[in-house]
Amino acid sequence: RFGNSAWGIQFHPEVDEGGLNSWYAEGGRALAEAGLGEDDARAADAVHLPGQRSLSEALFGGFARVVAARTVAA
């Protein structure tokens, strides 16, 4: 968060296993260019994906609470 209005993230908290599978189907070249193999990337996914949903809910829920607390002048 920066200031009162700007929010940014550098990852995709909404991603789930299906989303990852589509990325792998389309992104093999990008992995290779980064010096990673799909097996290594999927091993990292297996570590982090189980907590992804709760992280996503916390992040988006926090954002929603900030937005809901704001009042807009007419």
Side-chain angles (χ1 to χ4, degrees), residues 20-34 36 38:
L20 286 172
N21 288 334
S22 70
W23 288 355
Y24 286 119
E26 298 174 12
R29 182 174 161 190
L31 282 174
E33 289 173 0
L36 295 171
E38 184 175 330

Side-chain angles (χ1 to χ4, degrees), residues 30-64:
L31 282 174
E33 289 173 0
L36 295 171
E38 184 175 330
D39 290 342
D40 292 330
R42 286 188 180 269
D45 294 340
V47 170
H48 298 288
L49 194 58
Q52 189 74 1
R53 184 177 183 108
S54 63
L55 173 66
S56 179
E57 289 172 354
L59 180 66
F60 292 133
F63 178 74

